[in-house]
Amino acid sequence: METYDVIIIGGGPAGLTAGMYSSRARMKTLLLEKSAPGGQLSLTDKIENYPGFPGGISGMELVENMKKQAVGFGLEIASGDVREVRESETEKGKDCWEVITTGSQYTALTLIAASGGSARKLDVPGEKELTGRGVSYCATCDGAFFKGKDIVVVGGGDAAVEEALFLTKFGRQVTLVHRRDRLRASKILQERAEANEKLRFTWDSVVTAISGDKKVQSVKLKNLKTHKETDLSCDGVFIFIGFVPVTHYLKELVNLDDKGYIKTDNNMSASRKGVFACGDCRSKLLQQVVNACGEGALASYSAGQYVDELKGVAYK
Ligand code: NAP
């Protein structure tokens, strides 16, 4: 089995940027992605705060451009859901990592974790049973099914507000349910939400159950201040309450923070030599495409220095 210089786990903006930098630095690089490259970005209708695109660009188009650019420098991309990572040694006795996916096994001198996160679930009765039957975690994928319907959006961050605004293009009415009395989302999104006539807010409230026979018909709401419970009829429930990092494959190997994000130093190096992390799976203050890309570049540079040291060709 050939040994890669770098294996990148995850094909969102962080992973694709790391892949572009590593391939351009002439490191033999493989990027593993569970499904199609793009991560959360490919599910975003429009991104308007990535520099260089006044007026914004669709998430899918940006991802396609990133992929094309990285592949153009020689990045290999394979599909594979990473199950486990094990320490190993090359035939020449160098430290390396074995990456085990559902159907294959790969070896690399260094790893860059760029595996992002998956949507956090509400964990209330009816959510699981009605997923795909009115419950959704992706407005871009499912919004068009709710033309002229009543939609509930749960959450108060950038994702909830941005996606609620997008859903007003389809829904008769969109009700945003948030557990506080003000939004966490950025000010510009708040202004747009307040100005949108189709969007209304239910403050200080949580969804405690989702009901429906075969498809969503209503949600049960609980006001956290008055403790009053009410039922709200709706056809769709879109849940945007943050992410859970995908780091299970590294949890025995590197230090994670209390929420499961990978801790790194300023150069993106995790607590084990030869393992780096970037993007939304990394412990940090701000999750944006622009810093995911910057972290990908830095992780790749640091991985390159580590590989050169290991090969005894470092430029000192
Ligand atoms: P987030 O910023 O963590 O916000 C999650 C929201 O869901 C919060 O308002 C939180 O309430 C609420 N929440 C969490 N758990 C809940 C529960 N069990 N029940 C009810 N509500 C719950 O997550 P996000 O909006 O997905 O954004 C993730 C990151 O991506 C952020 O850094 C964000 O800035 C970034 N992002 C940026 C853009 C953009 O720049 N255009 C777009 C999307 C996402 P509390 O406020 O009470 O904690």
Side-chain angles (χ1 to χ4, degrees):
M1 191 176 12
E2 76 181 315
T3 301
Y4 286 92
D5 291 322
V6 186
I7 287 182
I8 298 163
I9 300 171
L16 287 171
T17 308
M20 177 179 77
Y21 271 74
S22 296
S23 309
R24 191 167 175 274
R26 295 294 179 246
M27 289 194 280
K28 187 162 178 51
T29 308
L30 174 70
L31 184 149
L32 293 170
E33 170 58 51
K34 192 161 64 171
S35 43
Q40 296 297 327
L41 178 58
S42 59
L43 306 179
T44 304
D45 176 49
K46 187 165 105 173
I47 167 158
E48 59 177 23
N49 53 0
Y50 187 77
F53 297 95
I57 179 168
S58 91
M60 189 58 96
E61 191 182 346
L62 186 55
V63 161
E64 279 305 316
N65 286 344
M66 287 181 181
K67 184 180 154 196
K68 204 168 155 189
Q69 201 172 358
V71 169
F73 286 114
L75 176 68
E76 283 179 49
I77 299 180
S79 55
D81 190 2
V82 175
R83 298 281 159 184
E84 199 187 337
V85 168
R86 287 189 211 134
E87 283 182 288
S88 187
E89 264 193 4
T90 64
E91 282 166 10
K92 292 179 184 161
K94 309 254 184 238
D95 291 341
C96 71
W97 301 96
E98 274 174 22
V99 178
I100 293 107
T101 67
T102 21
S104 304
Q105 189 167 326
Y106 305 92
T107 310
L109 297 178
T110 184
L111 289 182
I112 298 179
S115 38
S118 58
R120 180 177 289 138
K121 305 288 187 291
L122 265 181
D123 224 4
V124 297
E127 180 182 19
K128 200 171 167 190
E129 298 81 344
L130 293 166
T131 293
R133 292 192 278 146
V135 173
S136 172
Y137 304 88
C138 176
T140 324
C141 321
D142 300 327
F145 297 121
F146 295 88
K147 276 199 183 105
K149 308 270 185 189
D150 289 333
I151 300 170
V152 164
V153 170
V154 190
D158 282 334
V161 177
E162 204 166 69
E163 302 304 318
L165 285 165
F166 175 71
L167 287 165
T168 60
K169 292 182 190 175
F170 307 101
R172 188 185 73 86
Q173 182 156 64
V174 177
T175 304
L176 190 137
V177 177
H178 184 35
R179 63 186 180 184
R180 299 203 207 194
D181 61 4
R182 65 192 178 103
L183 296 168
R184 180 187 283 276
S186 58
K187 291 282 181 291
I188 191 164
L189 291 175
Q190 294 191 28
E191 285 165 18
R192 287 178 196 164
E194 279 155 19
N196 191 307
E197 286 178 356
K198 276 196 183 177
L199 191 54
R200 64 173 199 181
F201 301 91
T202 300
W203 300 114
D204 300 313
S205 299
V206 288
V207 170
T208 54
I210 303 171
S211 307
D213 177 26
K214 294 194 180 133
K215 58 189 179 69
V216 168
Q217 288 169 318
S218 67
V219 290
K220 191 169 277 304
L221 300 176
K222 182 177 178 187
N223 184 298
L224 296 174
K225 285 189 174 156
T226 62
H227 303 288
K228 202 176 149 199
E229 287 197 320
T230 48
D231 287 315
L232 175 66
S233 295
C234 60
D235 306 286
V237 184
F238 285 77
I239 299 164
F240 302 106
I241 56 166
F243 290 95
V244 182
V246 175
T247 53
H248 55 88
Y249 58 91
L250 279 181
K251 73 172 191 283
E252 310 296 336
L253 289 173
V254 301
N255 292 341
L256 306 179
D257 70 13
D258 56 358
K259 291 183 177 150
Y261 292 87
I262 300 165
K263 288 185 179 180
T264 71
D265 65 12
N266 289 342
N267 295 325
M268 308 297 122
S269 181
S271 58
R272 288 293 286 276
K273 270 187 142 190
V275 182
F276 302 85
C278 53
D280 285 358
C281 66
R282 190 179 87 86
S283 183
K284 60 181 170 183
L285 186 62
L286 181 68
Q287 293 174 319
Q288 294 281 305
V289 178
V290 69
N291 61 328
C293 292
E295 291 167 26
L298 186 49
S300 160
Y301 185 77
S302 301
Q305 288 196 319
Y306 173 80
V307 167
D308 284 352
E309 290 277 352
L310 213 59
K311 289 181 175 174
V313 297
Y315 189 93
K316 289 185 177 164

